[in-house]
Amino acid sequence: MFNQALASSVPIQGTAVAARWDGLYDFLLGISAFFFLLVVGAMLYFAITYRHRPEKKTTYFTGSHLLEAIWIAVPTLLLMMIFGWGYSIYHAMTQAPSDAYEVRVVGKQWLWTFQYDNGKTTVNEVYVPMNRPVKLVMTSEDVLHGFYIPNFRIKQDVVPGMYSSLWFTATVPGKHQVFCTEYCGTSHSGMLAKVVVLDDAQWKAWNLNRPIGAVPDVGLEGVAEASVAQSAPAAGSLADQGKAVYEKKGCVACHSVDGTTKVGPTHKGLFGSKVELTDGRTVIADENYIRNHIENPQANTVKGFNPVMPTFKGLISETEMNALIAYIKSLK
Ligand code: CUA
């Protein structure tokens, strides 16, 4: 009955994790209703049965250990169960499989830019394959934004100066609404986007720059359309674009891509490796480390090298940074 009454107000389930969240919330709603009826029902019953009557005297009570044990044990077990249930979904939701298809996301007042490995860039619509894990690696050019896909039941803050991520396996083809969920200025409510989930044939076509046909909206009717821009066919892959940035910004002067050591360490095999720093830290060279190193090199000097690298903070745009990292990632 609850499910039927709520069906029109709860978004469709576009991922497996959405069904799991809804199961947990149905349970929370169910036990809330159960205890509400139990407590209020007992209250009304006692108020009527034991109401004041001049001829009746109240019995003397000294308490009940059994009753106390029950009202400690039952809520404790229920809360532990809710914690375990929620944690297991949260864990599944935050640990992206390593073979996920990656898309780079840049938020800025008030639109979203998406960069793909094949070099394409789209604005306000992100194209993803159906039934395949997809990971969004996200950052912001200005202020805090939030990337929220109600149909998928996932949401993540998008923070300037670092990368955060979201992942999902979309199971329903079509366009799914995205909302910005951090107040980011005048047009915050207009910072809309769509996740366009394509079936196998459409995904192939999209990657070959062929028409994909009409893709219908899924759920959440009545939301204003975001303006959408799509780039011209890609000028080389994202890594190729990153190679151009790498050369233009002069990285090549001090770093090699073939394993030889110059003034700075080589970038061959860097991504995902363990790096020892002069201050004793050992870090994994992921997106956040590489970005942090480019912006604050002095604080991240690699062991065995001199702190001579200048900062590139403010000199590389977010989309260039994404391309640059894709290039460094490709240097296996
Ligand atoms: Cu971007 Cu609110």
Side-chain angles (χ1 to χ4, degrees), residues 21 163 245 307:
W21 277 130
Y163 296 108
V245 178

Side-chain angles (χ1 to χ4, degrees), residues 253-310:
C254 302
H255 299 279
S256 82
V257 297
D258 62 0
T260 54
T261 300
K262 294 161 96 172
V263 175
T266 183
H267 287 156
K268 188 181 184 204
L270 170 65
F271 195 92
S273 69
K274 273 188 189 161
V275 180
E276 276 187 74
L277 306 181
T278 46
D279 61 9
R281 282 180 298 147
T282 300
V283 294
I284 301 283
D286 59 6
E287 286 94 348
N288 272 313
Y289 165 75
I290 292 173
R291 176 205 185 92
N292 196 10
H293 192 106
I294 292 168
E295 298 197 326
N296 308 293
Q298 306 293 330
N300 293 286
T301 303
V302 177
K303 200 173 176 182
F305 293 88
N306 292 317
V308 292
M309 176 165 158

Side-chain angles (χ1 to χ4, degrees), residues 8-26:
S8 55
S9 57
V10 174
I12 63 133
Q13 297 171 340
T15 55
V17 88
R20 293 186 66 191
W21 277 130
D22 290 357
L24 177 56
Y25 276 88
D26 283 349

